[in-house]
Amino acid sequence: MQNNPAGVLLEAEGEHGAVDEFICRLAEEAPPLAVITGLTISDIPPTAGEGFAILASGVGASQVQIAPDSDVCPDCLRELFDPADRRYRYPFITCTNCGPRYSIITGIPYDRQNTTMARFPLCSACRAEYEEPANRRFHAQPNACPECGPQLRLLDGGGRALPGDPLATAIRLLQDGRIVAVKGIGGFHLAVNASNDVAVVELRRRKRRDEKPFALMVADLAAAAKIARLDPLEERLLSGVERPIVLLGKRPGHPIAPLVAPGNAYFGVMLPATPLQHLLLRDNFAALVMTSGNISDEPIAYDDNEALARLAGIADDFLTHNREIRTRSDDSVIRVFQGNPLFLRRSRGYVPRGITLPSLQPSVLAVGAELKGAICLTRGNQAFLSQHLGDLQNAATMQAFAETVSHLRQTLEIAPELLAHDLHPDYLSTGYALAYGDLPKLAVQHHHAHMASCMAEHCLEGETIGVIFDGTGYGSDGTIWGGEFLLGDYQGFQRKGFLCPVPQLGGDAAVREPFRIALSHLYLLYGAALFKLPLPFLDAIAATERPIYLTALERQINAPLTSSCGRLFDAVAVLLGLRSRIAYEGQAAMELEALAERATSDRVYPFTITEGEAGAILDFGPMLRELVAGVTAGAERELLARAFHNTVTAAVAEMCEIIRSGSRVNRVVLSGGVFQNKLLSEGVCTALAGREFQVYSQRLAPPNDGGVALGQAVIAGRRLKCV
Ligand code: ZN
Ligand code: ZN
Ligand code: FE
């Protein structure tokens, strides 16, 4: 047996039946983390060899995959809590079936010297396990024990080691309400006791995070069930080896501090992903807040010195160790939608698992969008989407972005032939791409990339309808798009329809202050009389500011046109009095969804569709008039929010009918960040399926901008193939 860049080479010799059985069992009994992507069998002359040997890793053309990081396996977990085991309560227990991979790999092939475990020579007991083919730790590269492996340390805010047992002391500090930074697989978390109101409030203050929900970690499924409601799929996702954060409906009467997830019907919950986290949680806490170790939008801290410096004003203490993290990655975030996972963030545990593309294509590097940075590299028919990198406008994130490109290129041994980037000239990812060597480059329209991302993960070929609802994307005509009905394939697309464009008052400021977009909509409907409407949110706009906004709308000053569907959700949230300003992206839309979920109604408001040269224009003006009338008459906001969702759903179905009748295309893909809204996604899927459309939504890549790089990569790969 030999590991080489093309995969694993096995030579087996024996009786005919025995060799056949070996081949069968190879696939059936593969260890939990092994994924056999293909098996090629050929006969070679027998050599009368005996025994079993693993040869030194070879060299050649690369086909390697890198395993993602994985939770502790059941065998290691049993040993971890077995007083008779030599690794009893050892926080770095691992075997071939579990443990860190992507986060510790420094190069290829995947051998111990190419991981951050290289500095820990195996003791004789560990070496014996490592060399014994029948042992569960045979060739387990991160294998270690208390004698030879990494050790925990507990440091105070100044980096000085605290006396006593690091783990026991950290648990006591957390119980006392202190904020402890805990080194995880992909970086540091900031931990506090989730039942301690004062500690949670203090963490919010220090992290400068006012409203965005904090994630929780609980010991096991039973502990999760005490704070949230779980269905079987949610249980499976929570306890899977990837260990994502899963959004779960809060259970009434839960013991969690109110400020963990204020104004939100959900908790983001995960189970322990490392032996250290198992040791921290078991028998100690109902739940710990485990939020990324960073300030606001900075990338997660992953290096000890960096963490001490950057988290100095936030964490009281640091529970850390001397096994380095080579590649940082944030936690993945998932919600369940119609029996399928819906990724809000695809990161630790899933990366860099390959996504199978519909066909072989030249190697491409795609650099994604900007706010939810993620890159994609392809090789053959495999696409490797990177971990979530965050907002590239942050300088440290941009640096992490560049490092990820070179690390993934190197470890996956991919030499791209083409570089794909967004059509937006000002995205930092576009700037990075244009400055990147002398590779040919291709600009891909944002919503076409969203559409191709969904098509690619379902291996769809040929013409497809794309309903792409998101916040902001640079349109082919230079205006802001975001409520798009496209028809096309990987090669190209036509814009068949779109939401009626409205002025985005204040440009980018309208994203953080959605009352501006509400003013735009009202201006189109009521003109200067809008300020006479008895809507509560208008009261908060000062009399001195009103003429400024009106003038800007009249003369179209700093009010670029947008067809964004995300902005429509924002405007409706404002009209219903939910909020006029947001503290984090998508907040208004999430609250609108939560409001609608509390009501049942079949009511659909009127809307108009006007077919013209440029495509079918979907105008929700009539619906907005009804909503204004409803708010004015004091109707229940829950019902209005529900009827709004129903109306968008009905309008999507109508628009798809129009496109189908003109094209005979019956397939619809749904993508864009607005489809993170479960109520809308379920409504649209059901409505379209009811009209006998084939509907596809994203399951492997996020529908938000975190999945855009995948679409860019496939579009570029096809373009190159055709040239
Ligand atoms: Zn294990
Ligand atoms: Zn050892
Ligand atoms: Fe987008």
Side-chain angles (χ1 to χ4, degrees), residues 446-447 450 470-472 672-673 704-705 708:
H446 189 82
H447 304 96
H450 271 300
D470 79 344
T472 302
N704 59 41
D705 282 4
V708 159

Side-chain angles (χ1 to χ4, degrees), residues 118-135:
R119 57 185 283 204
F120 300 101
L122 291 160
C123 69
S124 56
C126 286
R127 175 154 298 282
E129 294 166 338
Y130 185 87
E131 287 171 355
E132 167 55 49
N135 195 288

Side-chain angles (χ1 to χ4, degrees), residues 257-595:
L259 274 177
V260 165
N264 198 305
Y266 295 86
F267 282 132
V269 180
M270 65 182 143
L271 300 190
T274 68
L276 176 60
Q277 292 165 354
H278 280 281
L279 290 166
L280 265 180
L281 266 298
R282 190 177 279 200
D283 301 327
N284 294 317
F285 300 96
L288 283 176
V289 165
M290 283 290 224
T291 185
S292 299
N294 57 8
I295 300 175
S296 318
D297 293 329
E298 289 189 356
I300 186 168
Y302 71 112
D303 170 82
D304 276 22
N305 293 329
E306 182 207 13
L308 276 166
R310 282 177 44 206
L311 304 180
I314 307 180
D316 296 310
D317 309 282
F318 294 79
L319 182 58
T320 182
H321 55 73
N322 53 350
R323 188 182 72 201
E324 281 169 52
I325 298 170
R326 167 59 184 83
T327 301
R328 76 175 107 210
S329 57
D330 278 281
D331 300 318
S332 296
V333 186
I334 289 181
R335 75 190 296 191
V336 167
F337 141 71
Q338 283 189 336
N340 284 301
L342 173 69
F343 276 97
L344 308 188
R345 185 198 288 163
R346 183 182 182 275
S347 202
R348 176 185 54 74
Y350 299 90
V351 171
R353 193 186 286 168
I355 294 173
T356 302
L357 299 176
S359 65
L360 294 168
Q361 64 166 57
S363 284
V364 174
L365 165 62
V367 296
E370 180 164 277
L371 204 55
K372 289 180 163 36
I375 63 136
C376 184
L377 279 159
T378 71
R379 184 181 62 209
N381 68 342
Q382 295 289 302
F384 303 94
L385 196 56
S386 78
Q387 69 272 31
H388 163 85
L389 297 164
D391 181 356
L392 302 187
Q393 285 185 9
N394 181 294
T397 306
M398 196 60 214
Q399 198 189 333
F401 172 92
E403 275 168 20
T404 303
V405 171
S406 58
H407 185 59
L408 269 180
R409 271 197 59 170
Q410 182 214 335
T411 48
L412 293 166
E413 294 200 303
I414 295 175
E417 296 171 52
L418 180 65
L419 215 154
H421 60 84
D422 198 276
L423 190 61
H424 200 309
D426 300 330
Y427 273 179
L428 289 168
S429 54
T430 302
Y432 172 88
L434 295 178
Y436 190 99
D438 50 7
L439 282 180
K441 279 137 199 154
L442 181 74
V444 179
Q445 200 279 321
H446 189 82
H447 304 96
H448 187 209
H450 271 300
M451 173 174 168
S453 173
C454 190
M455 289 175 68
E457 65 162 78
H458 289 284
C459 288
L460 301 183
E461 290 287 357
E463 287 232 288
T464 304
I465 297 168
V467 180
I468 316 299
F469 283 176
D470 79 344
T472 302
Y474 193 85
S476 308
D477 59 3
T479 69
I480 308 169
W481 292 10
E484 307 307 311
F485 296 84
L486 309 180
L487 176 68
D489 54 21
Y490 301 110
Q491 325 288 349
F493 71 97
Q494 294 168 273
R495 192 188 196 201
K496 285 291 181 187
F498 49 93
L499 261 58
C500 185
V502 297
Q504 187 166 316
L505 179 61
D508 286 344
V511 178
R512 293 180 302 277
E513 299 181 329
F515 76 85
R516 292 167 178 271
I517 200 82
L519 290 181
S520 304
H521 277 286
L522 294 177
Y523 181 77
L524 295 181
L525 294 171
Y526 305 96
L530 79 93
F531 282 110
K532 298 204 177 78
L533 293 165
L535 294 168
F537 89 93
L538 293 173
D539 298 342
I541 300 172
T544 48
E545 286 174 23
R546 295 179 181 199
I548 303 173
Y549 294 136
L550 282 178
T551 309
L553 286 165
E554 269 161 30
R555 304 204 191 140
Q556 295 170 26
I557 303 163
N558 194 18
L561 288 177
T562 179
S563 59
S564 165
C565 187
R567 294 293 88 76
L568 174 71
F569 275 73
D570 285 349
V572 171
V574 174
L575 290 181
L576 298 192
L578 279 172
R579 60 175 56 254
S580 288
R581 290 178 172 77
I582 57 166
Y584 59 91
E585 195 207 356
Q587 185 181 18
M590 276 172 57
E591 291 177 357
L592 186 60
E593 180 192 358
L595 194 67

